[in-house]
Amino acid sequence: MLDIKFIRENKDIVAAGAKKKHIDIDIDALIGVDDKRRALVAEVDELRARQNKASDEIAGADEGTRVQKIAEMKVVKEILAQKEETLKPIMAEWQKRMVEVPNVPDMTVPEGESDAENQEIKTWGEKTQFPFQPKDHVELMAALGMVDFERGTKIAGFRGYVLKDDGVLLSFAIWNLALKFFADRGFSPMIMPSLARRENFLGTGFIPQGEEDLYKTQDGEYLAGTAEVATMGYHMDEVLQKENLPKKMLSFSPCFRREAGSHSRDVKGLIRVHEFYKWEQVILCEANHETSVRFHEELNRNTEEFIELLGIPYHTVVNCGGDLGLGQVKKYDIELWVPMEGKYREISSASYFHDFQTRRLNIRYKDAEGKMQFAHSLNSTAIPTPRILVSLIENYQQEDGSIVIPEALQSYMGKDKIVKKS
RNA sequence: GGAGAGGUGGCUGAGUUGGUCGAAGGCGACAGUCUUGAAAACUGUAGUCCCUUCACGGGGACCGUGGGUUCGAAUCCCACCCUCUCCGCCA
């Protein structure tokens, strides 16, 4: 959510921002509704002032004036009720339009309509060359008994999978290494609920626009597709201590995604599944653009360094306007090399929001002058499993079908190689 | 799932025969006095949001949330959410 005052005073900037994001929005219509809203609120406030004044007088009046005042106020009450009735639909429309207004993307965000126009800003590592015919992760992992897709779909349906044996060990090794790696960088580890109430999703901007991608329970909660939702909800309606900023949190949670609208994409393997696990970095910091930018770079760099520790070739892209979410100011995606697809695949997404989320979630702090400020929020994937296994397995495969374990993971894995059990 | 109790300002906690209650008291916080310094004591300040004003100020809203009754609601009624206690069930 943006500040209505900001929208009114900068409607060209807001409109241009929406256009850059390829989001269709009618700012003038919003301002028109807001004009009506303001006028009516002013009228209602004035009537209430009369009512309050009369109410005080009635309390101390003699019987005669009392009866007369009450009769007068009955009329005022009627008018007030009418005004409030008129205000109701206007407020509803105002709310609806306000949550549709996208945050303004940064100047440095490139133009473009879809992820095809994201711009590569960095590459790391050499694309893995194999002196033999390499295999894909599905074949490798199945042969090593690390995964069972057949029974996975038997149990869970489309996109189901079961990790087993070395697949499990490797997952835990990655989670443990990530926990150590990111905690050492000042992040406080947390295990977050995936099942969360609607306001968390509204606050983070996943609702109303992304509702069809969420699983919903019969009791009205939703299953989160990322721990970002719960981690941001953690401080909802709080006033944080300025000296506790920045708050750096590292959240683990199962993640659920319906993948509505991508039924024919990535139907094989561990790239796109309905249920996975993720460590997520979340930062709340003071409301300052430069601070947000600095932490954004830091978040993204953290994940890059983690991937470098795993030794997997990657590149980083800056997402174009059309590939940004409603609240995002700027976003970097880190994509890992997947040999058998011959392309980079997204593993991480780092974005900052300014106060777009915190305004909706009411997360504030008092600045040095004692003024209330909405904090700034940022988040980035630390590491998702099992998607990371796709690149790890394919890049580290050997001619005999075994998988060499990256050095950093070996102590957590308890071995340096995954070989076929005899 | 059944029975009961309750949700008030940073915290604690009064207020429930509706009318100067935005809300007593206590604690904490901040500023000052005292002190070599600190503590203690004493004095003073202080909620959030919206509208309006150059400013001083003025007006409105907020006592879990949303409705209702009333001239007027923290106080009465309804629904929902949450917390706590007991029973049942359960990893």
Side-chain angles (χ1 to χ4, degrees), chain A residues 6-167:
Chain A
F6 177 85
I7 296 172
R8 291 182 73 96
E9 285 162 16
N10 302 278
K11 70 175 205 178
D12 293 342
I13 293 173
V14 174
K19 189 158 176 264
K20 192 172 184 180
K21 284 187 168 179
H22 295 260
I23 292 171
D24 201 20
I25 185 112
D26 190 344
I27 302 293
D28 287 322
L30 169 62
I31 291 177
V33 173
D34 190 52
D35 286 338
K36 287 194 226 163
R37 179 191 135 259
R38 287 164 153 261
L40 264 169
V41 166
E43 288 183 53
V44 167
D45 278 359
E46 209 230 301
L47 285 169
R48 290 232 176 90
R50 278 181 65 186
Q51 210 173 44
N52 287 341
K53 190 160 172 282
S55 187
D56 284 348
E57 289 166 2
I58 288 168
D62 59 76
E63 197 53 33
T65 41
R66 189 185 178 90
V67 170
Q68 192 205 331
K69 286 267 181 201
I70 288 175
E72 275 174 32
M73 283 305 109
K74 276 192 171 169
V75 178
V76 171
K77 186 192 182 184
E78 283 303 313
I79 302 170
L80 188 56
Q82 277 173 28
K83 296 282 180 196
E84 281 173 338
E85 265 328 292
T86 319
L87 185 56
K88 260 184 205 167
I90 291 171
M91 279 312 293
E93 191 187 344
W94 187 84
Q95 293 280 3
K96 183 176 162 288
R97 288 185 181 274
M98 279 299 282
V99 297
E100 285 171 350
V101 178
N103 204 356
V104 180
D106 193 68
M107 296 289 287
T108 58
V109 169
E111 298 287 343
E113 198 172 340
S114 74
D115 58 358
E117 286 159 275
N118 294 345
Q119 290 182 5
E120 182 180 83
I121 54 169
K122 172 179 189 169
T123 60
W124 184 91
E126 296 293 319
K127 293 174 183 171
T128 314
Q129 300 294 319
F130 298 97
F132 54 88
Q133 181 56 46
K135 302 178 178 109
D136 71 19
H137 74 280
V138 175
E139 189 180 346
L140 289 162
M141 290 179 75
L144 292 167
M146 298 172 75
V147 71
D148 190 333
F149 287 108
E150 289 74 21
R151 293 191 178 92
T153 51
K154 180 174 77 177
I155 298 163
F158 184 43
R159 298 192 190 282
Y161 65 96
V162 173
L163 290 175
K164 44 185 271 214
D165 295 317
D166 282 328

Side-chain angles (χ1 to χ4, degrees), chain A residues 193-201 207 211 214-225 229 256 258:
Chain A
S194 300
L195 190 62
R197 312 207 317 173
R198 186 179 172 86
E199 51 260 45
N200 301 283
F201 294 85
I207 281 180
E211 189 152 0
L214 299 169
Y215 292 103
K216 191 176 182 179
T217 74
Q218 66 268 43
D219 296 320
E221 303 96 350
Y222 297 81
L223 287 169
V229 175
F256 298 89
R258 285 187 71 213

